[in-house]
Amino acid sequence: MTISQQIPNGVTLDIDRSDDAYRGWLKEAVRKVQADANRSADTHLLRFPLPEKWGVDLYLKDESTHPTGSLKHRLARSLFLYALCNGWIRPGRPVIEASSGSTAVSEAYFAKLIGVPFIAVMPRTTSAEKCRLIEFQGGECHFVDDPRGMYEESARLAAETGGHYMDQFTYAERATDWRGNNNIAESIFRQLELERFPEPAWIVATAGTGGTSATIARYVHYMQHDTRVCVADPENSCFFDGWSTGDPDITCDCGSRIEGIGRPRMEPSFLPGAIDRMMKVPDAAAIAAVRALERVIGRRAGGSTGTGLWSALKIVAEMVAEGRRGSVVTLLCDPGDRYLDKYYSDAWLAEQDLDIAPHTAAIESLLRTGVWSG
């Protein structure tokens, strides 16, 4: 028999779980997270110089200028607001996240902002600089040997501590308001308004959770733009294979060398039906691309930026070959100083048996002749 069947006629059941102290804490926590957005300026749209006669413009949306230095600052802010407003984060209880680094840095920042503990569950191979940044923000690093075990270990820690497992890989695509509200897609289109090709032919993103590509693709469809969305995937990641085969259960056996992107499973936030194209990019090509970026515009960036830039340059070459005019946008996801011991280290390249010379030559040839040979 249900409770409602036991109620005498005319009797009202009333359960009040409100707590004035908690509601006051919640209002203040939401205010602090929203205030962070209010005092943050928009990120720059950098132009990658190409010959004017090509009729193609290439831009990088520089997300490294966020307070925590990466694209993941937007995601972390959205995830915290989503979890706070759902009643999932509670005073004094830890927030736990499975992350390869940059999301954890940003979430540690927001956890510190609202005064709750933070634990990052990360692969043991995560760069030392990212670990330092997490700890600088007051977070704790909890390492796993197998990246595929991050999810279960995060859930276990949340259950053990009474905390909240943020689970960016599930909630990234739904925590962000993709219709507008200053999301990354709206920002790109607004910043392009006075350029010669204000509606980009292509936007290239990379996928860790899949949340950024989902936000951009949904916004493009919602606003009825003709822009196409391409996702670049590194080695040791299953997104490309899952997208091309239509198999949502596909997995791979090892973790990505390109921190922040590439996953051993098809993450729930990755929306394959929303995007138009995918490219599988060799890790050596991604590293060649970020080193080329430094030579061309004087900026160092991480490997996820290189993965997207390699794909964007390939699209630029296709447009030039076909005589199509227009613009292409990709993302500068985070700064290269987090990876000096990896992507900018020749010793690390040798250890990983990565030869970037052919890819470097292909980029230099493209920039000199407009012809793609990669």
Side-chain angles (χ1 to χ4, degrees), residues 220-285:
V220 164
H221 301 321
Y222 180 70
M223 297 301 294
Q224 304 163 54
H225 292 303
D226 290 326
T227 303
R228 301 296 191 263
V229 177
C230 174
V231 171
D233 201 33
E235 296 176 31
N236 303 326
S237 175
C238 69
F239 285 137
F240 179 88
D241 293 337
W243 182 81
S244 60
T245 64
D247 182 1
D249 298 319
I250 200 163
T251 60
C252 63
D253 293 331
C254 55
S256 171
R257 284 181 295 203
I258 306 299
E259 289 188 24
I261 61 170
R263 301 300 305 157
R265 70 175 190 181
M266 289 284 281
E267 300 295 351
S269 281
F270 180 66
L271 302 182
I275 61 177
D276 302 285
R277 180 177 181 179
M278 287 202 71
M279 291 190 202
K280 193 74 168 177
V281 178
D283 292 348

Side-chain angles (χ1 to χ4, degrees), residues 83-334:
L84 283 166
C85 294
N86 284 342
W88 294 344
I89 298 176
R90 295 283 169 158
R93 298 183 186 180
V95 169
I96 293 127
E97 183 63 286
S99 171
S100 61
S102 287
T103 302
V105 174
S106 299
E107 288 189 12
Y109 168 91
F110 283 105
K112 183 179 181 181
L113 188 68
I114 67 172
V116 298
F118 178 77
I119 303 171
V121 179
M122 305 187 302
R124 199 171 296 280
T125 55
T126 301
S127 73
E129 178 62 11
K130 280 186 179 177
C131 298
R132 186 193 70 78
L133 290 170
I134 291 165
E135 291 169 350
F136 176 78
Q137 296 294 349
E140 175 187 339
C141 299
H142 182 94
F143 298 105
V144 295
D145 293 317
D146 185 346
R148 293 172 295 179
M150 291 196 305
Y151 318 95
E152 292 77 11
E153 183 64 6
S154 298
R156 184 193 69 78
L157 283 174
E160 181 181 281
T161 61
H164 171 58
Y165 171 27
M166 191 71 88
D167 194 2
Q168 59 167 322
F169 298 106
T170 295
Y171 295 107
E173 58 87 8
R174 66 195 72 173
T176 301
D177 181 1
W178 48 268
R179 295 174 185 85
N181 192 29
N182 194 34
N183 66 42
I184 189 170
E186 181 186 50
S187 176
I188 288 169
F189 279 89
R190 185 177 65 251
Q191 290 176 315
L192 283 172
E193 284 178 353
L194 299 181
E195 301 299 310
R196 62 173 177 166
F197 306 116
E199 183 174 277
W202 286 92
I203 297 177
V204 179
T206 50
T209 62
T212 299
S213 62
T215 296
I216 292 171
R218 284 167 159 171
Y219 181 84
V220 164
H221 301 321
Y222 180 70
M223 297 301 294
Q224 304 163 54
H225 292 303
D226 290 326
T227 303
R228 301 296 191 263
V229 177
C230 174
V231 171
D233 201 33
E235 296 176 31
N236 303 326
S237 175
C238 69
F239 285 137
F240 179 88
D241 293 337
W243 182 81
S244 60
T245 64
D247 182 1
D249 298 319
I250 200 163
T251 60
C252 63
D253 293 331
C254 55
S256 171
R257 284 181 295 203
I258 306 299
E259 289 188 24
I261 61 170
R263 301 300 305 157
R265 70 175 190 181
M266 289 284 281
E267 300 295 351
S269 281
F270 180 66
L271 302 182
I275 61 177
D276 302 285
R277 180 177 181 179
M278 287 202 71
M279 291 190 202
K280 193 74 168 177
V281 178
D283 292 348
I287 296 165
V290 290
R291 292 191 176 195
L293 180 68
E294 182 182 17
R295 290 192 297 274
V296 173
I297 69 169
R299 295 289 300 275
R300 281 181 170 173
S304 55
T305 299
T307 306
L309 179 58
W310 176 266
S311 297
L313 289 170
K314 187 174 189 298
I315 289 172
V316 166
E318 292 171 355
M319 293 175 66
V320 171
E322 296 167 9
R324 287 186 288 131
R325 297 165 62 84
S327 57
V328 179
V329 179
T330 188
L331 309 178
L332 199 165
C333 304
D334 63 359

